[in-house]
Amino acid sequence: MTQPRLLLCDCLNTQAIDAGLIEQATGLPCSKIHTQLCRGEAAQAAEALQAGNVIIACQQERQAFEDLAADLEADEPLFLDLRDRAGWTADTRSTSPKMAALIAESILPTPGAKVVDVTSEGTCLILGDSEAALTAADHLCELLSVTVILDPADELPLADDRRFDIVRGRVTTATGALGHFKVGFDALQERIPGGRGAFNWTDPKSGGRTECDIVLDLRRGQPLFPAPEKREGYLRADPGNTGAFTKALLDASQLVGTFEKPLYVRLDEQLCAHSRARKTGCTRCLDLCPTGAISPGGDSVAVDTMVCAGCGSCSAVCPSGAISYDAPPVSHTFQRLQTLAATWRKLSPDAPPRLLVHDSSHGAELIRLGARYGKGLPADVIPLEMEAIASFGHTESLAALACGFADVTVLLSPATEKEGMPFQADLSNVIAGEDRVCLITPSDPDELEEILYREQSPVTAKQPILPLGSRRQITRLAAKTLNEPGKVIPLPEGAPYGSVVLDQDACTLCLSCVSLCPSGALKENPDAPQLRFQEDACLQCGICTTICPEKALTLDPRLDLSDDALRARVLKEEEPFNCVECGKPFGVRSTVMRLTEKLAGKHAMFQDNKAIQLIQMCDDCRVNAVYHSENNPFASAERPRVRTTDDYISKRRDH
């Protein structure tokens, strides 16, 4: 396939573009620098569209170019924004390295989104006081199949509108999302049709349940769900706010049909370290999920993809990679970081760029407003738009620094799930060794520019990495690049990297910790009584500390950058005990002697030497000794045959 051709426009001479440098860094053929491609030079744009395979470096007039392509029956072109993100700036330094980086990143192939179809037939449950709920039902009943549930204390108006159903009750439970809501009630009453005068109602019943596609909540109390604004199909509005009430009605009327629900995360249950043998370990994703889409599911967690809103917090904190953001995959983010940094270096090898991570709404709008009315972004600040800001965790920040960025600034929006992000930034800075990762919450473009135009400390460019592999592997590779060889970095409590500390005197080498370690960091030696540990595999999930009967293990969060962390080392080793009968080594000498001392002469079953010797035999010899003993349980006579019904019947016949 031929390379796309890049159409460049300086927007009425308001930005400086060097087509030669861009072509040199990206390898893409560039047009001449147009001045008004959307209007005065539209004929040249039409010619390029008819030729096909074109990228237009303008987002503002995207609609005009798409309409032009439709009129010409040409393929729709690709678009990218150079003007707001690079060209419009008060910085006098060259913007060519940044423009080239943005262009190279924009042409990376994006993995296709994974979606599932959700069907809504329009069954709608409306909650609220009688006036608001019935008004909403009156507006929606011609479009949706409406049921209104009122509080038992509410009074109904005299009008009898049979276009929708009315029941009384109190909501006790609610689960699901668009197309799959399940709601439970107490004190449920239905209207009795017929009769004269006031309506009659059935007797209150508890345990009522219903299913619906849409829930319109007009109550002023607590919402039915956590993070209600992220629950698809759940619309909540204050009926006293006319604008919000009207918008909720409009939104509800549109929720009929088949919709594509993105599958935001991928779950590999085998990697999950949530639990083993009913001993809870890692709960990082459970603690952060704002919608409650993640729940315990045995040894692993379970993800309700219909409820997941795609904030990405779980992906950033998962220590094993069991849960990872998948819209697009995490690997695509690393590829974007590497492409941006590598392309920048082609035109500016000595001065590393800075990274600004932002979302597609709040952050992108601040950048656009700042470019048009303020100073714009500095020439060395490369913006990276993310679908889910909370998914940009410590691994992504460290990868950006190790790829060649001088620092990372994450622009949080009001909609960003912020709970877990300060820890991710702190962890990044501890591992990087400097405060090179920061979170900002500017409310306007001026505040953003004030932050970005502050004088920065110079950063020496280091040999960049190629961020390939799992998030743990990339973290370790980045940390080795950013620190001295072999350094051991103490980490804050809760970090997903570290060692374990063993109390030698307390440990009995029972190896319970080995059997339950989800990552295999704790190991046994089948040939000798040993407890071994491989540090780079440890997730710091805590299952080993919970299961240890002697409480001999404690966690030590740290990151060991030496090669010792990649090898299993012996935490404790003891002399094996040799079977007193055959001499085969089995068990641990200290454990066998401790049991002998505790049971010999002190337990009814171990009063003589022969019984005591059973403790000191291997499995085979112990079975053999018991079989040939005087009290052999296998030496008794054959058990009598079990009597059946036929035996009783035949006996009765004989008599």
Side-chain angles (χ1 to χ4, degrees):
M1 182 177 178
T2 59
Q3 286 186 313
R5 184 165 177 262
L6 188 63
L7 259 62
L8 300 171
C9 179
D10 63 15
C11 199
L12 299 176
N13 296 312
T14 56
Q15 58 176 330
I17 302 177
D18 190 324
L21 289 177
I22 290 175
E23 190 165 333
Q24 172 189 332
T26 64
L28 293 179
C30 297
S31 71
K32 72 171 189 176
I33 308 300
H34 297 278
T35 296
Q36 196 181 22
L37 195 60
C38 57
R39 297 291 185 272
E41 297 172 290
Q44 297 178 53
E47 183 180 342
L49 288 171
Q50 287 178 319
N53 200 15
V54 64
I55 301 174
I56 300 178
C58 178
Q59 281 281 16
Q60 176 178 280
E61 299 299 326
R62 177 171 186 155
Q63 187 62 53
F65 290 117
E66 288 178 344
D67 292 343
L68 179 59
D71 292 340
L72 297 171
E73 297 183 353
D75 293 337
E76 192 172 290
L78 298 176
F79 297 90
L80 65 95
D81 173 25
L82 290 183
R83 186 192 65 188
D84 293 337
R85 298 188 295 168
W88 279 357
T89 177
D91 196 333
T92 58
R93 292 173 292 180
S94 172
T95 58
S96 293
K98 189 203 305 200
M99 287 185 175
L102 293 173
I103 292 168
E105 184 264 338
S106 70
I107 62 175
L108 289 175
T110 302
K114 301 177 179 67
V115 298
V116 62
D117 286 344
V118 175
T119 300
S120 169
E121 296 180 352
T123 56
C124 178
L125 183 66
I126 301 179
L127 310 174
D129 61 50
S130 59
E131 181 179 358
L134 294 176
T135 300
D138 178 57
H139 285 86
L140 293 174
C141 63
E142 300 295 338
L143 302 171
L144 306 174
S145 176
V146 174
T147 298
V148 177
I149 179 165
L150 303 175
D151 189 271
D154 282 356
E155 293 186 6
L156 284 176
L158 297 179
D160 181 13
D161 194 335
R162 296 304 176 104
R163 294 177 301 165
F164 51 85
D165 295 327
I166 302 176
V167 297
R168 284 175 166 174
R170 296 186 181 90
V171 177
T172 56
T173 61
T175 59
L178 176 66
H180 301 90
F181 284 108
K182 295 181 179 180
V183 185
F185 308 94
D186 275 345
L188 184 65
Q189 296 177 279
E190 298 178 87
R191 284 194 303 180
I192 298 176
R196 186 182 182 195
F199 293 113
N200 292 317
W201 299 86
T202 60
D203 293 334
K205 295 181 180 179
S206 298
R209 294 184 62 82
T210 189
E211 297 182 3
C212 61
D213 300 316
I214 308 158
V215 176
L216 177 57
D217 189 351
L218 302 176
R219 303 172 304 163
R220 291 180 170 88
Q222 291 293 320
L224 292 179
F225 304 101
E229 69 284 354
K230 297 180 182 293
R231 181 78 56 143
E232 294 180 352
Y234 177 65
L235 307 171
R236 188 165 180 261
D238 180 354
N241 184 330
T242 304
F245 180 73
T246 303
K247 184 178 184 304
L249 296 183
L250 179 61
D251 290 344
S253 69
Q254 304 300 312
L255 294 179
V256 181
T258 300
F259 304 89
E260 289 186 343
K261 173 71 170 69
L263 301 179
Y264 292 108
V265 299
R266 177 179 56 83
L267 173 64
D268 187 340
E269 296 180 356
Q270 294 182 342
L271 297 178
C272 183
H274 169 60
S275 174
R276 293 294 185 275
R278 299 184 180 180
K279 298 295 182 181
T280 302
C282 177
T283 61
R284 293 174 173 92
C285 61
L286 291 167
D287 297 338
L288 287 179
C289 182
T291 62
I294 304 177
S295 59
D299 284 353
S300 72
V301 297
V303 179
D304 187 338
T305 55
M306 296 297 103
V307 175
C308 174
C311 72
S313 298
C314 54
S315 177
V317 301
C318 182
S320 65
I323 288 185
S324 61
Y325 197 76
D326 203 35
V330 174
S331 58
H332 183 63
T333 299
F334 294 130
Q335 186 182 16
R336 294 173 68 192
L337 293 171
Q338 193 273 333
T339 299
L340 287 169
T343 308
W344 170 281
R345 281 195 301 275
K346 292 179 181 179
L347 299 181
S348 182
D350 300 323
R354 295 182 285 154
L355 184 69
L356 175 65
V357 183
H358 66 91
D359 66 357
S360 59
S361 54
H362 176 75
E365 183 65 13
L366 289 183
I367 292 172
R368 284 192 291 267
L369 291 173
R372 179 169 288 276
Y373 301 107
K375 295 193 292 186
L377 297 180
D380 63 343
V381 172
I382 298 180
L384 176 71
E385 185 176 300
M386 294 287 296
E387 293 292 332
I389 295 294
S391 69
F392 201 90
H394 69 276
T395 300
E396 287 76 11
S397 295
L398 292 169
L401 297 176
C403 280
F405 285 95
D407 56 48
V408 176
T409 301
V410 182
L411 196 167
L412 306 182
S413 77
T416 303
E417 293 300 331
K418 306 177 182 65
E419 185 177 350
M421 298 203 67
F423 181 81
Q424 294 296 308
D426 292 343
L427 184 58
S428 302
N429 287 322
V430 170
I431 295 176
E434 302 176 57
D435 292 335
R436 297 171 60 183
V437 178
C438 69
L439 309 178
I440 61 173
T441 55
S443 57
D444 56 58
D446 292 337
E447 187 178 352
L448 174 61
E449 290 169 2
E450 181 182 352
I451 295 170
L452 297 178
Y453 275 89
R454 290 173 185 165
E455 185 175 349
Q456 304 292 320
S457 301
V459 175
T460 304
K462 296 185 177 181
Q463 184 65 31
I465 68 167
L466 184 62
L468 297 176
S470 68
R471 297 181 82 249
R472 292 182 68 87
Q473 292 170 332
I474 292 173
T475 296
R476 182 175 181 81
L477 179 60
K480 293 180 70 172
T481 301
L482 299 170
N483 290 276
E484 297 298 325
K487 184 177 181 180
V488 178
I489 306 171
L491 299 179
E493 184 179 352
Y497 315 98
S499 180
V500 293
V501 178
L502 179 69
D503 185 338
Q504 295 280 342
D505 296 331
C507 177
T508 61
L509 282 179
C510 69
L511 302 181
S512 298
C513 55
V514 171
S515 63
L516 295 185
C517 179
S519 65
L522 289 164
K523 310 170 184 289
E524 65 176 331
N525 185 344
D527 299 323
Q530 285 183 347
L531 175 61
R532 307 167 74 195
F533 176 70
Q534 185 172 326
E535 185 165 333
D536 79 310
C538 180
L539 307 176
Q540 297 284 286
C541 66
I543 291 178
C544 60
T545 63
T546 304
I547 196 62
C548 180
E550 312 298 338
K551 304 301 178 186
L553 287 167
T554 55
L555 300 179
D556 178 20
R558 67 179 197 175
L559 186 60
D560 186 354
L561 302 180
S562 70
D563 291 341
D564 291 341
L566 306 177
R567 295 187 287 266
R569 56 186 171 89
V570 177
L571 291 182
K572 183 170 182 177
E573 181 178 19
E574 286 197 22
E575 181 183 354
F577 187 87
N578 295 322
C579 175
V580 296
E581 189 69 22
C582 68
K584 182 176 71 175
F586 81 99
V588 182
R589 171 169 290 278
S590 63
T591 301
V592 174
M593 298 311 296
R594 190 182 298 114
L595 288 173
T596 302
E597 181 182 353
K598 183 173 288 189
L599 297 176
K602 301 175 184 178
H603 191 280
M605 295 181 62
F606 299 96
Q607 295 297 318
D608 56 55
N609 288 334
K610 288 185 178 181
I612 293 170
Q613 285 183 342
L614 292 176
I615 303 173
Q616 301 173 349
M617 293 182 186
C618 65
D619 293 344
D620 294 336
C621 294
R622 188 181 304 116
V623 171
N624 186 57
V626 171
Y627 184 82
H628 292 93
S629 66
E630 295 177 359
N631 298 322
N632 177 15
F634 305 106
S636 59
E638 183 178 350
R639 292 182 62 185
R641 186 175 66 85
V642 177
R643 293 175 65 85
T644 66
T645 302
D646 291 340
D647 294 325
Y648 287 102
I649 293 174
S650 62
K651 184 176 181 180
R652 205 178 289 129
R653 287 173 180 169
D654 293 341
H655 290 284

